[in-house]
Amino acid sequence: MMIKLFLTIFVFTLSVGTMSAEEIKLSSSPQQTALVELYTSEGCSSCPPAEAWMSRLKDDADLWKRFVPVSFHVDYWDRLGWRDRFSSKRWTERQSRYAALWNSESVYTPAVVVNSREERDWSRVSLSQPNEKQVGVLRVTSSDGKTFALEFRPADRTASDWDAHLALLASDITTDVRAGENSGRNLKHDFVVLDLQNGEMKADSGAASARLTISAPLENVPRRAIAAWVTQRGELPARQATGGWLPSK
C-alpha cells in the first residue's frame, strides 16, 4: 500500500513538472525582420533619450514581428567614474566592426544601427514600415528556456554558409547612478544584452540549423526575452531575425 502511494505521488510530481515547462516557439515571417541595435552606456549623459526611445518599443504592436531590438552597453565610458554593470568589451568590439564597415574612424553613443545601417537621426526612424524583401524563415524553439534550436530556411534556397546568433535580453531594469555624467539619475533600461552566443549552422536539405545555450544566469531579471538572428558566415549584417518574451519565472 505504501509503495503504491509513493508511486502515485511520484507520477503526479513528474506530471506537474512536465506541465510547468512551457515550450518556446518563435518564428519570423518570410519578409526580413529588422535587427535594431542600440549602443549605449550608463556613463553617457546623452544616452537616456535614446534609451527612452528604445523602451517605447515594448508597446509597439510590431515588436518581434517587423523589428527585434537589442541594446549593447559599451565599456569605453567606464573609465570616467562610473562602471556600467552591463558593459562589455565584446559589445565595444562589435560596434568597432560596424565602424570599420562604414569606413568610420570612431565610435560614439548613443548609436543606432538598423539592419547594419547607421541611423544618426534615430528619433525619426520608422520601424513599422513593411519590408517586402523575401529572405526566408527563421524558427527558434526551446523546451527549457536555456538551450535553443535555430532553423533558417532561405527563400532562395541557394547554398550558403550561415552563422546563428542568440542573445538573452533583460527589460524593466533600473540603475541608481552615483557617479559619472549621469550621477544622481535613475536610469531605466530595456532589451539589454546580457549574453550573446554565436555558432556555425549546419546545412541540411535547404535549411541550416544550430543549437545554442545561454550561459548568463536567468535569475533576478524582471522581464526576459530572446533575440535571434542569422548572418552569412563571418559577416556582421543580419539576414533574418526573430525574438520574443520568455515566460516569467
Side-chain angles (χ1 to χ4, degrees):
M1 187 71 178
M2 289 296 292
I3 294 175
K4 183 178 181 181
L5 178 61
F6 173 79
L7 289 175
T8 302
I9 294 173
F10 175 77
V11 171
F12 176 75
T13 304
L14 181 62
S15 298
V16 170
T18 303
M19 289 171 62
S20 64
E22 296 184 47
E23 186 175 10
I24 298 165
K25 295 182 179 181
L26 309 173
S27 179
S28 73
S29 68
Q31 291 78 26
Q32 187 176 42
T33 301
L35 181 66
V36 182
E37 304 173 55
L38 170 65
Y39 291 85
T40 183
S41 171
E42 291 182 344
C44 163
S45 62
S46 58
C47 285
E51 296 259 10
W53 172 78
M54 196 76 160
S55 292
R56 287 194 291 272
L57 299 181
K58 289 190 301 182
D59 300 320
D60 195 306
D62 291 320
L63 173 64
W64 312 125
K65 300 173 184 177
R66 290 182 178 168
F67 61 85
V68 173
V70 294
S71 180
F72 291 101
H73 286 231
V74 297
D75 70 344
Y76 48 82
W77 284 94
D78 289 357
R79 65 183 183 275
L80 298 182
W82 178 258
R83 186 186 180 282
D84 187 334
R85 58 184 169 142
F86 303 113
S87 66
S88 172
K89 184 179 180 180
R90 288 180 64 195
W91 315 151
T92 299
E93 291 172 346
R94 181 178 175 86
Q95 188 184 20
S96 297
R97 287 183 64 193
Y98 273 122
L101 187 66
W102 304 325
N103 296 317
S104 176
E105 297 180 354
S106 61
V107 292
Y108 62 93
T109 56
V112 172
V113 182
V114 179
N115 278 347
S116 76
R117 184 180 65 250
E118 182 182 25
E119 297 286 357
R120 287 187 175 268
D121 195 9
W122 47 265
S123 64
R124 297 179 179 274
V125 172
S126 175
L127 299 175
S128 296
Q129 294 295 324
N131 188 339
E132 301 302 328
K133 185 178 181 181
Q134 299 273 337
V135 294
V137 175
L138 173 61
R139 293 188 175 90
V140 181
T141 59
S142 175
S143 59
D144 62 5
K146 294 182 180 179
T147 298
F148 292 79
L150 289 78
E151 181 192 71
F152 179 53
R153 291 189 174 273
D156 56 14
R157 296 185 176 275
T158 57
S160 185
D161 293 328
W162 301 96
D163 288 333
H165 311 272
L166 180 73
L168 173 65
L169 311 180
S171 285
D172 296 343
I173 291 175
T174 59
T175 299
D176 183 15
V177 180
R178 301 180 181 179
E181 290 191 358
N182 286 313
S183 180
R185 303 184 69 169
N186 188 268
L187 301 182
K188 298 180 180 180
H189 306 307
D190 290 292
F191 307 110
V192 179
V193 177
L194 301 182
D195 185 38
L196 176 61
Q197 297 295 320
N198 311 294
E200 294 184 356
M201 305 186 82
K202 297 180 180 180
D204 182 26
S205 301
S209 62
R211 292 178 66 85
L212 298 174
T213 300
I214 291 297
S215 63
L218 301 179
E219 295 78 15
N220 301 320
V221 177
R223 197 177 188 188
R224 303 166 302 142
I226 283 293
W229 62 94
V230 293
T231 62
Q232 287 196 295
R233 183 69 44 82
E235 295 187 1
L236 196 56
R239 178 63 63 92
Q240 183 61 293
T242 190
W245 299 111
L246 294 180
S248 59
K249 288 290 185 179

